[in-house]
Amino acid sequence: MHRVAVLAVDRVDSLDLAIPGEVFGSARSRGEDPGTSYGDPLYDVIVCGERPGLVVTGRDGRELFNLTAPYDLAEAVTADTVVVPGARLTTEPPAEVLDVLRQAHERGARIASICSGAFMLAAAGLLDGRRATTHWTSAGYLAQEFPLVEVDANVLFVDEGDVLTSAGAATGLDLCVHMVRNDFGAAVAAEVARQVVVAPQRAGDQAQFIVHHEPTDDSGSLEPTMRWMRDHLGEPLTLADIARQAAVSPRSLNRRFHEQTGTTPLQWLLTQRVRHAQELLETTALSIEEIAAHCGFGTAINLRQHFTRRVHLSPQAYRRAFQLR
């Protein structure tokens, strides 16, 4: 099993600490036949603490309870993935924690942070020369304190391969689901998202600032339109088609999509098509041409072009990798 170690330091945030266990703990292996129930756990999640009696805080910084982690920090060195939740540190990050992060990274572990956990990754030198993110209220300070880090405050999370960072606490859900998708494919990640009840389609480059309008006659939720788009992925949808379904002008549709998703209707549609292609490649024996038709790409060439650009693998290579898993 893939072992995930969650590092708990003093004054760790309660939500950040819980997210990895909820997401990775929900990942189950797929049955032999499509539609069968999910079975064995795919991850072994452990919580490692620097010392007994750690203070766990809420978002406002107030103390909620004390925690004695069941595993020592040293256990994280041998983990496959190490997740660093955010914490309200009043001093420099503990030297022992930084040493564990460096050792785990050197032996090839994947290191990820949630919210202000990025400061510990930066203090360990793991973000030098890399693009990274954190909560928008702390991004300026991260850039000031660690000038070698390329801080991007306008995204939900950043995937640099072996090192990943996320913005606010809720984006830790997006990041962990993203890692499940990288490890075990889109079908398993979609099931995890259903179990945790989060949206499976939020991409890392989506903006942190999203306007959520109350449903009114003038400006309502786009969820019905998005559902319609997902139900018609195989059709050659245009911006005008989508605007007609939403009963708004193309200009208004673009504005509302950007406000509610941080992207355009056609880019969002492309993401859904690629995700659907991933699931079909993992779970069916359909040919590339058939999958291209099912997903609205029209031709196998179009599918390969868009799929490779988004996933960084060709459809055939993706199928080989994830059908083996």
Side-chain angles (χ1 to χ4, degrees):
M1 291 174 64
H2 185 117
R3 171 163 279 200
V4 177
V6 185
L7 294 192
V9 300
D10 199 34
R11 306 197 68 79
V12 64
D13 181 85
S14 59
L15 179 57
D16 292 7
L17 180 64
I19 284 172
E22 286 296 311
V23 174
F24 293 113
S26 298
R28 296 289 187 272
S29 61
R30 299 185 62 252
E32 292 295 328
D33 300 316
T36 57
S37 60
Y38 284 57
D40 298 329
L42 294 172
Y43 295 93
D44 174 28
V45 185
I46 63 174
V47 177
C48 304
E50 58 168 328
R51 60 177 176 78
L54 298 171
V55 173
V56 180
T57 70
R59 300 307 293 176
D60 58 0
R62 288 187 293 180
E63 297 182 10
L64 296 180
F65 54 88
N66 293 101
L67 167 73
T68 297
Y71 293 88
D72 294 331
L73 277 179
E75 294 286 340
V77 174
T78 59
D80 302 293
T81 296
V82 179
V83 181
V84 183
R88 289 179 174 267
L89 299 178
T90 55
T91 60
E92 292 293 318
E96 186 180 0
V97 172
L98 300 184
D99 287 341
V100 164
L101 288 174
R102 294 185 188 110
Q103 291 175 42
H105 183 255
E106 285 173 4
R107 62 168 294 276
R110 177 175 59 186
I111 313 293
S113 66
I114 300 175
C115 200
S116 61
F119 283 84
M120 280 183 271
L121 268 60
L126 303 186
L127 299 182
D128 289 354
R130 295 177 183 264
R131 183 167 159 261
T133 193
T134 188
H135 194 280
W136 60 272
T137 58
S138 304
Y141 185 60
L142 180 64
Q144 175 184 321
E145 290 294 300
F146 301 97
L148 296 181
V149 181
E150 183 187 341
V151 180
D152 187 346
N154 298 314
V155 294
L156 298 183
F157 61 83
V158 174
D159 183 349
E160 288 280 290
D162 57 339
V163 178
L164 304 90
T165 53
S166 65
T171 62
L173 290 165
D174 299 300
L175 177 63
C176 290
V177 172
H178 170 76
M179 287 191 281
V180 172
R181 184 179 298 110
N182 284 348
D183 293 340
F184 296 104
V188 172
E191 180 62 22
V192 168
R194 283 190 288 268
Q195 293 296 324
V196 184
V197 195
V198 296
Q201 74 271 8
R202 295 217 305 177
D205 57 359
Q206 180 171 307
Q208 287 193 35
F209 299 95
I210 304 297
V211 178
H212 295 283
H213 290 295
E214 293 295 327
T216 66
D217 291 340
D218 176 61
S219 179
S221 169
L222 286 170
E223 178 54 34
T225 302
M226 293 175 177
R227 193 180 310 116
W228 177 84
M229 292 166 69
R230 283 193 290 263
D231 291 341
H232 294 80
L233 288 179
E235 300 175 17
L237 300 180
T238 65
L239 184 62
D241 295 330
I242 302 168
R244 192 178 304 113
Q245 172 65 24
V248 297
S249 69
R251 182 176 179 180
S252 294
L253 180 71
N254 270 323
R255 174 177 56 81
R256 291 185 187 178
F257 244 90
H258 195 270
E259 289 175 345
Q260 295 186 35
T261 71
T263 189
T264 67
L266 294 182
Q267 285 299 314
W268 187 89
L269 178 63
L270 178 59
T271 298
Q272 303 314 303
R273 284 173 166 161
V274 170
R275 294 278 169 82
H276 188 42
Q278 287 178 288
E279 292 199 35
L280 292 178
L281 287 165
E282 295 168 26
T283 61
T284 75
L286 293 173
S287 68
I288 301 301
E289 290 75 12
E290 289 171 317
I291 291 175
H294 273 285
C295 299
F297 288 106
T299 68
I301 293 175
N302 282 338
L303 169 60
R304 291 189 187 97
Q305 177 183 356
H306 291 292
F307 192 95
T308 304
R309 183 180 300 130
R310 291 294 184 98
V311 184
H312 307 295
L313 284 173
S314 70
Q316 288 286 18
Y318 184 89
R319 167 170 272 170
R320 286 194 298 270
F322 285 101
Q323 282 193 341
L324 282 174
R325 297 187 199 190

